[in-house]
Amino acid sequence: MGETSSGNAYMQLSWAMMKTGVLGYGGGPSVIPLIRYEAVTHYKWLNDEEFGEILALANALPGPIATKMAAYLGYHKKGVLGATVSVLAHIVPSGIAMIVLLSAVQWLSGSAIVQGMIGAVIPVIAVMLGVMAYEFGEKAVKGLGLYLGIGFFALAFGLLQLVQLHPAIVIIMFLGYGAFHMRASAAWKRRREERREGNNPSERDNQSDQDHRNDTSVREEG
């Protein structure tokens, strides 16, 4: 696929972020599946692994998560100007709608129609969050292994829900371990391969003898 033109890239960023801002009922976590759909599935600006990494880093920083994700996606595509366009497209339409409807907020808050709309959309958001959580969990298990992955899920749940540690602290802790885990895993695999090679010198000697006999047979036949 050819490189997307600048004008088209800005239009894509604006349209995608405007949709996530307008349709992200409840803000915060409810917007993340929408942003993921636009960035990973629809426009393919990122893959799932990159999106997960950026989401983890964004959660560790102060400020609204959706705005930070919009800023990163815009910067990833078109630099500082892209980040500006992306953030404005995400927050301005919903901000204008809020100002326009400000005089009717009291009526809307008690409206049975509005309450019904919000109640009806919550299951959709819950399913989108569940699917995203399952896919992230699946990747975590593949990267860490089944038992370590399950253990980390339990540890994260305990720290977040039982100890009620701040999510940013938990994310930083797990990021630190993740960096150590990858280096330690690579070193362990390398040592295991070295021990395996060191424990089987007879195999190498036998193979060398077999190669030597084959060479001798070929020369004799010649």
Side-chain angles (χ1 to χ4, degrees):
M1 182 180 294
E3 190 69 25
T4 305
S5 65
S6 295
N8 195 28
Y10 288 120
M11 287 296 295
Q12 289 178 353
L13 283 170
S14 299
W15 178 237
M17 292 303 104
M18 185 180 72
K19 286 189 292 183
T20 60
V22 171
L23 298 177
Y25 290 95
S30 65
V31 183
I32 299 305
L34 301 176
I35 295 178
R36 176 178 174 271
Y37 172 80
E38 299 293 341
V40 177
T41 305
H42 189 187
Y43 292 112
K44 295 180 170 49
W45 295 327
L46 304 171
N47 58 39
D48 264 324
E49 287 77 12
E50 291 172 325
F51 186 86
E53 292 170 1
I54 299 306
L55 180 61
L57 290 173
N59 269 307
L61 298 174
I65 180 66
T67 307
K68 290 178 287 187
M69 294 298 293
Y72 174 81
L73 291 173
Y75 186 82
H76 176 74
K77 289 298 295 178
K78 302 302 294 183
V80 175
L81 183 57
T84 304
V85 169
S86 185
V87 170
L88 289 176
H90 181 73
I91 64 176
V92 167
S94 56
I96 292 175
M98 186 64 189
I99 293 172
V100 170
L101 297 173
L102 193 59
S103 59
V105 165
Q106 290 298 325
W107 178 81
L108 289 173
S109 63
S111 170
I113 296 175
V114 173
Q115 293 299 320
M117 291 170 60
I118 295 174
V121 82
I122 286 176
V124 179
I125 295 172
V127 170
M128 294 174 69
L129 285 169
V131 170
M132 187 176 72
Y134 173 79
E135 291 177 352
F136 281 174
E138 190 177 33
K139 288 179 173 60
V141 169
K142 287 181 179 178
L144 296 171
L146 178 61
Y147 298 111
L148 192 58
I150 293 174
F152 268 48
F153 288 139
L155 177 60
F157 180 83
L159 292 174
L160 291 170
Q161 298 299 319
L162 303 180
V163 181
Q164 295 188 344
L165 203 60
H166 194 283
I169 298 175
V170 178
I171 289 170
I172 291 171
M173 290 169 54
F174 278 56
L175 285 174
Y177 175 81
F180 166 79
H181 173 83
M182 296 306 294
R183 296 181 65 181
S185 178
W188 180 75
K189 288 180 180 178
R190 187 167 57 250
R191 287 197 300 268
R192 187 176 63 176
E193 290 174 357
E194 290 173 355
R195 285 199 302 269
R196 185 182 301 164
E197 292 175 357
N199 290 336
N200 296 316
S202 58
E203 266 186 36
R204 293 199 305 271
D205 293 342
N206 291 338
Q207 183 63 39
S208 178
D209 292 342
Q210 182 64 36
D211 293 341
H212 178 71
R213 285 195 296 272
N214 290 339
D215 291 342
T216 303
S217 298
V218 169
R219 285 197 299 271
E220 289 176 352
E221 290 175 0

